[in-house]
Amino acid sequence: MQVLLQVENLQLAFNQQAVIKGISFSIQRGETFALVGESGSGKSLAALSVLRLHPTQAQLQADVLQLEEVDILRTPESKLSHVRGRRIAMIFQDPMSSLNPVMTLGAQIEEMLQLHFSLTKSQRSKRVLELLEQVGIPEPKRRRNEYPHQLSGGQRQRIMIAIALAGEPDLLIADEPTTALDVTIQAQILALLKNIQKQNGMALWLISHDLALVSTMADRVAVMQSGKLVEVAEKNQLFSHPQHDYTKKLLAALPDIHHQIELKPSAPILLKVANFKVHYPIKKGLFKRVIGSVKAVDGVNFTLAEGQTLAIVGESGCGKTTLGKALLNLIAKTAGQVHFCGLDLAELSAKSLREQRSAMQIIFQDPTAAMNPRMLVIDIISEGVHALQGKLDITDKVALVSDLLQQVGLDNSALYRYPHEFSGGQRQRICIARALAVKPKLIICDEPTSALDVSVQKRIIELLKHLQKTQGISYLFITHDLAVVAEIADEVAVMYAGEIIEQGSTHQVLHHPQQAYTQKLLSALPVLQIRK
């Protein structure tokens, strides 16, 4: 096979401190090369360095950094801009910070087509709709005129994929491309990428913490730890006979859908939700008349007991996140009742509702958007304590935040740093620490482990379970990862098009599903493929 990308002794340093420590690898035309490793190991930085999109304050050097005839390291920036997007495209890990908030989705895809292809306006318009359909965006004619904030996290990720595919690149760098996607859409996207590879001979550089996904997609796998490649091997060799201890540790940390959680005794009801609805009006015309409504959440009913976990699963855009935010009055509900600790939240005054805020917290899906970029980590984590429980002196603040950071697997070096200095997974851990700071009774966890590698994910799940056992915290756990559900949830509710269509114990729903949609979710779940 023909070598497409050659990288030898790639190094990246900040103030003479190396974060990528002389890595070497090659990617051939048409192959899928996977890079795996824990959050913060340097996976994303390696990809950005290959595109020369690394932070400006960092020092980049390499013996060889070559895309066929293009010497990336020595090509002027003016010419390199024609390589990016067309020869090499990238799907970034964080769609919300990568998409332009003031441009429509269609315009952002069309921008790529206009830059790299000689197409008429009608041809570009047609191609935009084709790409939206390819990546599974419903109602593409309507959605093309919407903005990023109007889509769910998973739908925004699909837009990022459509933009990357628009350039028909020789090499597609996919940095956690399916992190925010449910398993059915994930299967569609991966099948789409595979199909494009066959048609165009496109190479795929897949950066992922999902080892089951990697085992189904990759030809070769490289394992990265602390800026170094500790193991590079053919897929079957790596998964059946891992050589490095770190690789063995990653494989041992994989969540198991057959895991059976310990049964808990019955407990008083903490949260009761009845006929809960969130509808958004659809407006059209000059006078913005309401012509219909989007039923994001439509008549949801469930209860959650003290010290237990209810998982809400379903495809991207089904209403999971909207439900979680509306339960906390972060967005307005249309109808229904929410009783928390025996109190009807709708009847509480603004002051009384504020007093309940300590007891109800949320871990948002997008950690970057959930933190103030101008605040230090110590202030981000302690902000809730200041707002809800009164100010802390500096000694108590440092002690509190240090303990919380330790609980989520970070050390004190994070105290006086800003969010942009951390990887996606590390930012998610900071958000978890912030939610724990005010000692809540209920935490709504919106995809809290989706950005985490399996080893950190395992630690976070064990942490959440430990806190539940020692402090009696209840979790409404919103996720698309069914294997994680098996590790943490007591009950599962399956959501589809704004409604809960199946609910029961975790074992019942995962192993004896009654609804066709639940069966479809389970059948699309990637399974670690090992051929010895």
Side-chain angles (χ1 to χ4, degrees):
M1 294 177 73
Q2 180 184 352
V3 173
L4 177 65
L5 179 70
Q6 185 73 41
V7 178
E8 294 181 12
N9 195 28
L10 177 70
Q11 300 177 57
L12 189 72
F14 291 84
N15 298 322
Q16 308 306 315
Q17 183 174 353
V19 291
I20 297 177
K21 305 168 183 176
I23 65 173
S24 300
F25 62 92
S26 63
I27 299 176
Q28 298 176 332
R29 273 197 171 274
E31 86 160 331
T32 299
F33 175 80
L35 183 60
V36 302
E38 65 185 7
S39 171
S41 63
K43 304 188 302 294
S44 297
L45 273 176
L48 291 172
S49 299
V50 165
L51 283 166
R52 272 178 42 197
L53 292 174
H54 57 284
T56 53
Q57 69 271 30
Q59 301 85 46
L60 173 68
Q61 62 184 59
D63 292 344
V64 177
L65 184 51
Q66 193 92 10
L67 179 75
E68 290 189 323
E69 78 286 355
V70 179
D71 186 339
I72 296 173
L73 209 56
R74 293 168 182 83
T75 300
E77 181 66 28
S78 58
K79 292 184 178 180
L80 196 59
S81 62
H82 296 291
V83 174
R84 299 188 191 116
R86 185 65 182 91
R87 298 290 304 279
I88 307 179
M90 185 165 180
I91 303 166
F92 293 96
Q93 184 176 359
D94 180 8
M96 196 58 182
S97 62
S98 302
L99 293 169
N100 189 326
V102 297
M103 285 178 69
T104 64
L105 305 171
Q108 296 190 57
I109 299 172
E110 191 172 339
E111 185 179 40
M112 177 68 76
L113 297 171
Q114 195 167 7
L115 183 63
H116 295 295
F117 299 97
S118 298
L119 300 175
T120 65
K121 177 71 176 175
S122 62
Q123 287 173 327
R124 292 197 302 269
S125 180
K126 181 181 178 183
R127 181 65 179 141
V128 166
L129 292 177
E130 288 174 354
L131 286 162
L132 289 173
E133 288 175 357
Q134 273 189 320
V135 297
I137 295 291
E139 301 180 78
K141 286 186 178 179
R142 178 172 68 86
R143 291 290 194 177
R144 66 179 295 170
N145 296 315
E146 293 185 344
Y147 294 87
H149 72 272
Q150 294 176 276
L151 272 63
S152 69
Q155 288 170 330
R156 286 194 290 266
Q157 188 68 290
R158 283 181 258 173
I159 296 297
M160 287 296 303
I161 293 169
I163 292 171
L165 293 177
E168 300 174 7
D170 297 321
L171 172 62
L172 176 61
I173 303 174
D175 188 1
E176 303 284 4
T178 59
T179 291
L181 304 182
D182 61 274
V183 289
T184 52
I185 297 299
Q186 175 178 284
Q188 290 174 27
I189 293 297
L190 296 179
L192 169 65
L193 293 176
K194 278 291 188 186
N195 187 46
I196 290 171
Q197 277 187 288
K198 287 179 182 177
Q199 291 176 355
N200 304 342
M202 180 184 77
L204 178 63
W205 177 359
L206 179 64
I207 299 171
S208 181
H209 64 262
D210 189 334
L211 296 179
L213 181 151
V214 166
S215 75
T216 64
M217 287 287 289
D219 300 305
R220 287 187 302 129
V221 183
V223 182
M224 198 166 190
Q225 182 186 29
S226 302
K228 295 180 179 178
L229 294 184
V230 297
E231 188 165 357
V232 183
E234 296 293 323
K235 173 185 68 178
N236 293 335
Q237 171 66 29
L238 186 131
F239 285 115
S240 60
H241 298 96
Q243 300 300 304
H244 199 274
D245 288 343
Y246 178 66
T247 310
K248 295 173 184 177
K249 176 187 170 186
L250 286 180
L251 291 169
L254 276 170
D256 181 9
I257 196 168
H258 299 290
H259 177 84
Q260 290 196 21
I261 196 166
E262 180 183 339
L263 290 176
K264 297 170 187 170
S266 58
I269 297 300
L270 177 73
L271 179 69
K272 182 179 180 181
V273 178
N275 195 31
F276 197 77
K277 298 179 182 180
V278 181
H279 294 177
Y280 295 113
I282 299 174
K283 298 180 180 180
K284 195 173 182 181
L286 180 63
F287 299 103
K288 299 295 182 183
R289 292 192 306 173
V290 176
I291 61 168
S293 62
V294 176
K295 298 179 180 179
V297 180
D298 197 29
V300 164
N301 301 276
F302 64 85
T303 59
L304 175 59
E306 293 178 3
Q308 300 209 358
T309 301
L310 171 65
I312 306 286
V313 302
E315 65 185 10
S316 170
C318 71
K320 306 187 299 293
T321 296
T322 300
L323 170 63
K325 289 180 178 179
L327 289 175
L328 298 184
N329 280 357
L330 297 178
I331 56 178
K333 68 175 182 179
T334 303
Q337 291 182 310
V338 181
H339 287 86
F340 179 72
C341 294
L343 299 172
D344 187 340
L345 296 185
E347 295 180 355
L348 296 181
S349 65
K351 181 181 178 182
S352 298
L353 183 61
R354 183 178 174 81
E355 290 172 355
Q356 291 295 323
R357 287 293 184 198
S358 288
M360 303 181 293
Q361 290 295 299
I362 185 168
I363 301 166
F364 292 100
Q365 181 178 1
D366 183 350
T368 303
M371 291 188 283
N372 188 328
R374 298 184 178 183
M375 288 178 67
L376 296 168
V377 166
I378 186 171
D379 297 318
I380 288 170
I381 293 176
S382 61
E383 184 180 24
V385 178
H386 286 167
L388 299 171
Q389 298 174 3
K391 283 205 168 187
L392 297 168
D393 63 44
I394 187 63
T395 304
D396 290 340
K397 181 196 281 191
V398 171
L400 171 69
V401 177
S402 297
D403 180 59
L404 289 163
L405 288 172
Q406 185 178 17
Q407 287 185 54
V408 297
L410 295 172
D411 58 39
N412 281 6
S413 65
L415 283 170
Y416 299 102
R417 292 162 65 189
Y418 292 94
H420 73 269
E421 299 179 71
F422 297 89
S423 69
Q426 289 169 327
R427 285 194 288 265
Q428 189 65 290
R429 283 183 261 175
I430 293 167
C431 288
I432 292 171
R434 178 175 59 182
L436 295 173
V438 291
K439 299 181 179 178
K441 294 180 181 178
L442 168 69
I443 299 180
I444 295 178
C445 306
D446 188 4
E447 303 278 7
T449 60
S450 65
L452 305 180
D453 61 90
V454 288
S455 56
V456 176
Q457 176 178 274
K458 187 176 180 68
R459 290 207 301 269
I460 292 297
I461 290 171
E462 291 303 320
L463 167 64
L464 293 174
K465 289 163 71 173
H466 173 73
L467 291 167
Q468 187 170 67
K469 191 172 183 179
T470 57
Q471 300 180 25
I473 300 174
S474 299
Y475 302 120
L476 189 64
F477 200 91
I478 297 168
T479 185
H480 64 265
D481 191 332
L482 297 175
V484 169
V485 167
E487 296 277 354
I488 195 169
D490 301 288
E491 292 192 359
V492 180
V494 181
M495 201 165 177
Y496 179 73
E499 300 179 10
I500 290 177
I501 61 167
E502 184 165 358
Q503 185 172 355
S505 71
T506 301
H507 182 78
Q508 170 66 38
V509 173
L510 295 186
H511 298 286
H512 305 286
Q514 302 300 305
Q515 296 292 323
Y517 175 69
T518 311
Q519 295 165 5
K520 180 183 174 185
L521 284 180
L522 289 163
S523 65
L525 184 69
V527 179
L528 189 66
Q529 296 185 0
I530 301 175
R531 295 177 187 172
K532 299 188 178 181

